[in-house]
Amino acid sequence: MEYQEAFLRTPLGITAIKGHAHGLVSISVLNTSAVEPTAAIPDDLRPAVEQLREYFAGKRSAFDLPLDFKGTDFQRRVWLALLDIPFGKTCSYLELAKKLGDVKAIRAVAAANGQNPFWIVVPCHRVIGSDGSLIGYAGGLWRKKWLLEHESPYKQQALFP
């Protein structure tokens, strides 16, 4: 099956979206600005581009996209559990491991979380340390902080200009 790809400029960098007629296979943020945004978005990727634009504009809190998960059964269980974390909320890696039925699987849960192929859409950024700290984010902790602040129901004015 042939994949289509599109690149979208976001406040957090260039986002690469890859998919086909049956669903998306990945959404990731690139650590380069050398890639130009795609001018002509392929039809199969248009809904993802539109929904990501709405998310970053503050007009979307949930995604409705066909996702073609590729991973182990355990990884897919973790990724599906991430979809249950509400917009504007967080949970810890320990809470996620408990939800999946094995408190001892915390490291495996963290590893699967780090392999999430659907940046933002499957909200791995909503998983934090048990002490509330921002830990373990493949896209960089500054992006995780930005995403959590973007989704927070409690908006605060900057204390300093």
Side-chain angles (χ1 to χ4, degrees):
M1 187 167 299
E2 189 172 320
Y3 295 120
Q4 299 173 322
E5 195 166 41
F7 298 96
L8 171 69
R9 185 175 315 282
T10 74
L12 299 176
I14 299 293
T15 298
I17 304 164
K18 186 186 271 189
H20 49 70
H22 300 293
L24 300 172
V25 294
S26 70
I27 299 174
S28 59
V29 64
L30 305 178
N31 287 320
T32 180
S33 58
V35 177
E36 288 297 317
T38 304
I41 306 296
D43 289 344
D44 294 333
L45 304 182
R46 274 198 193 123
V49 169
E50 290 169 9
Q51 289 185 34
L52 283 165
R53 285 180 175 150
E54 291 168 356
Y55 170 85
F56 283 111
K59 297 176 181 174
R60 175 172 288 277
S61 60
F63 294 91
D64 181 23
L65 298 167
L67 305 177
D68 186 5
F69 288 101
K70 304 278 190 221
T72 67
D73 288 342
F74 182 78
Q75 286 174 323
R76 286 195 301 274
R77 284 181 53 223
V78 171
W79 300 333
L80 291 172
L82 293 172
L83 292 171
D84 292 335
I85 305 170
F87 183 87
K89 303 287 184 187
T90 59
C91 85
S92 71
Y93 291 98
L94 179 60
E95 290 170 322
L96 197 52
K98 285 179 182 176
K99 179 179 180 180
L100 293 168
D102 186 358
V103 67
K104 294 177 186 167
I106 189 169
R107 287 180 189 233
V109 164
N113 196 52
Q115 295 297 314
N116 170 22
F118 298 106
W119 182 60
I120 297 177
V121 173
V122 175
C124 57
H125 60 278
R126 296 180 190 154
V127 184
I128 59 173
S130 294
D131 62 357
S133 62
L134 300 183
I135 59 171
Y137 192 63
L141 291 180
W142 71 273
R143 286 187 177 111
K144 184 172 192 165
K145 181 178 184 284
W146 190 98
L147 291 166
L148 292 174
E149 288 175 352
H150 178 69
E151 294 182 1
S152 174
Y154 308 106
K155 304 297 182 200
Q156 180 177 327
Q157 286 184 314
L159 298 177
F160 304 99

